[in-house]
Amino acid sequence: MKLAFQLAYRNLIGAGLRTWLNAGILSFSFIVILFFDGLIDGWNKQGIRDSIDWEYGQGQLLHADYDPYDPFTIDDGHGKIPESERAASVPVLVRQVSVYPEGRMLSVKLSGIEAEQKLLKLPTGQLQKSEAEIPAVIGKRMAKVAQLKVGDRVLMRWRDKNGVFDAQEVTIAGVFSSNVPTVDQGQFWIPIRKLWQMTGLHEEVSYLIQKEPKAVSISGWNYKSQNELLKPFRELIKVERIGNSILFTLLLGIALLTLFDTQVLSIFRRQKEIGTYIALGMTRWQVVGLFTAEGAMYSLFAILLGSLYGIPFLFYMTKAGFGIPEANLQMGITIAERIYPVYGFSLIFGTVLLVVISATVVSFLPARKIARLDPVLAIKGKVL
Amino acid sequence: MTWAVMAFGLCWYTIINQMDTKEIIRIEQLTKRFRDGEGEFTALHKIGLSFGRGEFAGLLGPSGSGKTTLLNIVGSLDKPTEGRVTVLGKDIARLTHKESAMLRNRHIGFIFQVYNLLPVYTVFENVEFALLLQNFSAGERRKKVMEALEWVGLAHMPNKRPDKLSGGEGQRVAIARAMVKRPEILIADEPTANLDARNAHAIVRMMKQLNKELETTFLFSTHDEKVMGYLERIIRLEDGKMVSDEWVNVKTKKT
């Protein structure tokens, strides 16, 4: 084995440009796979962190009739705060309202939250500071759609607990920037006490956000752990990974095809050399091993070459991040304007292993032919 | 105990001494047939020969007479269809691939018509190759390679690549590569066919000198008149049959 690698190293170094062209193509695939996988890992980590910080906290307790993905459950999906959870959670009451920015009507979700809460990153402190009758904070996506800015007043119409319409002006006390669209798009945040007052639903909430992870079982409420809440996002990442793996397979496939082609051509062109190896005392399987080792070494050279330009590039990307096009930000998925790729040990090790193993296998396949080769004909270059 | 060791040593000395004087290649009733379309082509027909240690022998004959086929079988690159070929006591037909490779690696050197140098290796690396297969240390390899390059007068250009060598230099590298492991047998298939007269004489003289110094058995295939003058034994082949086996340029047969 050592000899095979020793000779393979000599052969590849001696082959000069041919070696580096192959290594270059393979290294490009290697770096692209690392980059995009790192990007998805970065997105995954950022997305989970943002979802916890902005929306899920340590878990949620949802009213049994409330489904955050079904707007028809908003009207009836609320109940009194369970006593046991009063201190341990941040309460949120959700209502469906209409706002009229510049005379246009927009149907939005109105969420009431404790202004003094510190659990979520929502800038509810601005609600406390505001002296407006009904202060509200909105996300920048909402601000953009409604063309609202801090200090603007907008008419809001809602129904109280008896279904009677009421309306009043709401003052924008703050506009926040969040990567989590579900706390931003089509949503206004006001102090929960104000919302209780506006609707007459005193001490009623749609869901509670837990400050500490604790599984609870309360009749009329559904407990969702942080993991369950993150499941849809994780599913999305999984789908993205599958999509990317198709791209990687194609990319790596092209690189491996190049390597396969080189090996086939190499065996064809180097018949005399193969014959000479055998005449000098190598067994046929030793020669197969040599050609396979050459293939494996291509991948090692690719990793070496890829490291030369890849490490600075990947390092730069971890600092500068990768800008996400505006259109993607509007898609309603948790994604930052810039994703900072994360390159973990398992990702790097896994990718290195993938490239080395696939290159070795691809080199072994044509090299097997050598095992059936007649050395007499090989020396003369008359085999294939 | 001492007596036993001495007796064992004496026994071995006798065996090795006998081996020295005995034949190292024996060919009996060798027939080689190749498939030729639907039928068969007989390349060698009932050849019987033997070669002793330190012979400088040549196989002569026109193209297709079976010279290369015979050398390939002796070199364990091919197997007989019928008959028996024994090299250093080993029956070629019975050797496994691994045993054949071992035999070639340790005991047989090859020189080819077109040198067959490994193109991406330097002169040094080409000569070193056979030693790499024998697990010599780097220091030992360097010593042996430089010694072999001294023999062929190329010690001053170990880092040159084959494509920068002249024909004569290329063939000298091939000789160094074949001789560096000090094989018992050296097989040279038309070694001077691609060389001009001056280089051909130089190469054969060099081989003759190595034959004398190292007692290696040289077995040529050639139809080059320049080589014939140096041969001690000439075996003529025609259409796969041996037509003559003469001792020339020597007073007595070596075995």
Side-chain angles (χ1 to χ4, degrees):
Chain A
M1 187 62 102
K2 186 188 163 199
L3 178 69
F5 275 95
Q6 201 173 350
L7 296 175
Y9 175 77
R10 278 188 187 179
N11 286 349
L12 294 193
I13 291 293
L17 185 65
R18 180 163 57 93
T19 298
W20 295 111
L21 281 175
N22 275 317
I25 294 168
L26 208 54
S27 77
F28 178 72
S29 310
F30 171 62
I31 294 300
V32 169
I33 291 173
L34 260 185
F35 172 66
F36 278 105
D37 250 354
L39 203 63
I40 289 188
D41 274 357
W43 177 19
N44 187 26
K45 283 200 167 72
Q46 268 175 268
I48 288 173
R49 195 174 55 232
D50 287 341
S51 296
I52 292 167
D53 289 350
W54 285 88
E55 191 178 13
Y56 297 142
Q58 298 304 319
Q60 290 184 350
L61 196 60
L62 292 99
H63 188 270
D65 296 332
Y66 176 66
D67 177 358
Y69 300 107
D70 180 2
F72 292 104
T73 63
I74 291 177
D75 256 0
D76 301 323
H78 51 83
K80 289 275 180 206
I81 304 173
E83 271 313 309
S84 60
E85 293 303 306
R86 191 176 285 276
S89 324
V90 173
V92 179
L93 175 63
V94 179
R95 308 306 294 161
Q96 191 74 42
V97 302
S98 301
V99 289
Y100 297 86
E102 295 178 6
R104 292 181 299 134
M105 191 190 85
L106 283 177
S107 182
V108 298
K109 195 164 100 174
L110 180 64
S111 296
I113 188 166
E114 272 180 355
E116 53 276 16
Q117 68 83 29
K118 296 272 186 261
L119 177 64
L120 301 185
K121 274 189 172 173
L122 283 166
T124 50
Q126 287 164 346
L127 298 173
Q128 275 181 300
K129 283 183 212 156
S130 175
E131 290 172 2
E133 177 65 25
I134 307 177
V137 289
I138 55 173
K140 65 177 183 184
R141 294 179 184 89
M142 180 75 244
K144 193 178 173 189
V145 170
Q147 294 184 355
L148 292 170
K149 56 187 185 303
V150 175
D152 281 356
R153 291 155 69 98
V154 63
L155 184 69
M156 181 182 279
R157 193 177 71 147
W158 69 92
R159 283 176 193 268
D160 66 13
K161 66 175 181 181
N162 301 313
V164 177
F165 278 112
D166 202 349
Q168 202 172 339
E169 275 193 330
V170 172
T171 305
I172 305 301
V175 175
F176 60 84
S177 173
S178 168
N179 299 326
V180 183
T182 43
V183 299
D184 176 346
Q185 278 173 345
Q187 194 158 191
F188 275 54
W189 294 86
I190 64 169
I192 195 166
R193 284 187 182 81
K194 193 75 203 172
L195 188 55
W196 283 338
Q197 207 181 334
M198 285 157 64
T199 56
L201 296 166
H202 293 287
E203 299 287 304
E204 302 242 350
V205 293
S206 305
Y207 62 96
L208 294 145
I209 307 166
Q210 286 187 317
K211 291 177 184 167
E212 296 298 332
K214 187 182 77 174
V216 286
S217 172
I218 299 170
S219 166
W221 297 84
N222 294 331
Y223 169 72
K224 295 237 178 197
S225 69
Q226 197 181 68
N227 252 346
E228 281 175 273
L229 292 165
L230 287 167
K231 204 175 163 192
F233 179 73
R234 288 200 169 113
E235 292 291 327
L236 174 77
I237 292 290
K238 210 165 146 187
V239 171
E240 275 296 317
R241 267 196 211 286
I242 292 168
N244 270 12
S245 61
I246 293 169
L247 174 77
F248 299 157
T249 309
L250 284 174
L251 199 67
L252 191 63
I254 291 168
L256 291 176
L257 198 66
T258 312
L259 186 60
F260 184 80
D261 186 47
T262 305
Q263 289 295 84
V264 170
L265 192 68
S266 187
I267 290 165
F268 178 74
R269 284 179 54 190
R270 293 165 64 189
Q271 287 173 67
K272 270 191 187 173
E273 193 181 322
I274 293 167
T276 308
Y277 285 136
I278 295 171
L280 292 176
M282 282 181 99
T283 63
R284 291 172 205 193
W285 279 104
Q286 269 181 312
V287 184
V288 172
L290 170 62
F291 275 73
T292 308
E294 280 184 23
M297 203 157 265
Y298 271 125
S299 63
L300 297 179
F301 280 11
I303 289 159
L304 189 76
L305 186 67
S307 304
L308 289 179
Y309 66 83
I311 289 175
F313 168 72
L314 297 176
F315 183 74
Y316 170 76
M317 291 310 292
T318 59
K319 298 290 164 199
F322 183 77
I324 298 298
E326 185 65 28
N328 287 30
L329 299 173
Q330 304 296 334
M331 282 168 64
I333 50 176
T334 304
I335 190 164
E337 285 172 3
R338 296 199 81 76
I339 296 180
Y340 296 89
V342 174
Y343 308 107
F345 174 76
S346 59
L347 171 65
I348 295 170
F349 185 71
T351 313
V352 165
L353 214 61
L354 173 74
V355 172
V356 172
I357 290 175
S358 50
T360 308
V361 170
V362 158
S363 304
F364 173 70
L365 294 176
R368 279 179 314 166
K369 202 168 186 173
I370 296 168
R372 299 188 299 271
L373 200 130
D374 180 349
V376 172
L377 295 177
I379 289 166
K380 293 176 187 165
K382 287 181 181 173
V383 179
L384 304 166
Chain B
M1 182 67 180
T2 318
W3 284 107
V5 171
M6 280 177 72
F8 183 74
L10 188 67
C11 215
W12 266 110
Y13 176 78
T14 313
I15 290 167
I16 288 165
N17 215 23
Q18 274 183 351
M19 271 178 72
D20 265 350
T21 54
K22 274 186 178 173
E23 67 200 5
I24 58 171
I25 302 167
R26 173 182 277 272
I27 301 166
E28 297 164 278
Q29 297 288 303
L30 168 64
T31 298
K32 179 70 184 177
R33 282 189 285 269
F34 293 106
R35 241 184 256 158
D36 184 15
E38 293 292 298
E40 276 189 332
F41 161 74
T42 305
L44 292 171
H45 184 71
K46 295 193 185 297
I47 303 287
L49 279 168
S50 74
F51 297 93
R53 186 172 297 275
E55 278 192 25
F56 202 73
L59 302 171
L60 265 69
S63 287
S65 58
K67 306 184 296 284
T68 303
T69 305
L70 181 56
L71 290 186
N72 286 335
I73 294 171
V74 172
S76 185
L77 287 170
D78 208 348
K79 296 203 186 249
T81 311
E82 283 167 23
R84 187 180 153 98
V85 176
T86 316
V87 175
L88 297 165
K90 290 181 165 60
D91 185 348
I92 294 295
R94 291 179 174 219
L95 294 179
T96 62
H97 284 309
K98 202 173 174 180
E99 287 165 342
S100 289
M102 189 77 89
L103 180 70
R104 287 192 297 271
N105 181 230
R106 309 235 170 213
H107 306 290
I108 303 173
F110 283 91
I111 297 173
F112 304 100
Q113 181 180 337
V114 286
Y115 329 135
N116 284 39
L117 298 178
L118 302 169
V120 297
Y121 290 5
T122 61
V123 165
F124 183 93
E125 288 166 343
N126 261 287
V127 179
E128 187 191 21
F129 186 87
L131 301 179
L132 275 172
L133 297 176
Q134 290 187 30
N135 295 323
F136 282 104
S137 69
E140 279 177 298
R141 288 201 306 266
R142 168 155 286 278
K143 197 176 147 214
K144 282 175 185 283
V145 170
M146 290 315 290
E147 189 185 17
L149 288 176
E150 289 281 352
W151 292 337
V152 296
L154 291 178
H156 60 289
M157 51 172 73
N159 297 320
K160 264 200 178 180
R161 297 228 173 230
D163 58 348
K164 301 278 184 257
L165 300 173
S166 67
E169 286 170 341
Q171 196 58 300
R172 281 194 276 164
V173 175
I175 293 169
R177 181 177 66 183
M179 293 303 295
V180 71
K181 58 190 177 188
R182 306 261 184 137
E184 280 90 338
I185 301 159
L186 192 137
I187 289 171
D189 190 6
E190 306 271 7
T192 55
N194 278 11
L195 300 176
D196 56 44
R198 194 172 61 86
N199 270 313
H201 279 292
I203 290 291
V204 183
R205 264 200 300 270
M206 187 180 294
M207 291 202 264
K208 182 86 181 171
Q209 196 181 338
L210 289 169
N211 163 251
K212 292 264 179 272
E213 284 176 16
L214 306 174
E215 278 226 316
T216 304
T217 304
F218 275 68
L219 209 53
F220 289 86
S221 80
T222 187
H223 49 248
D224 188 346
E225 296 289 338
K226 298 183 286 292
V227 176
M228 280 186 234
Y230 294 90
L231 296 175
E232 294 172 354
R233 184 181 175 189
I234 295 176
I235 298 143
R236 290 182 193 275
L237 296 174
E238 263 181 42
D239 295 330
K241 291 173 189 157
M242 193 174 79
V243 291
S244 69
D245 178 5
E246 310 166 63
W247 285 87
V248 288
N249 306 323
V250 280
K251 286 177 185 165
T252 51
K253 193 175 160 186
K254 286 207 167 188
T255 54

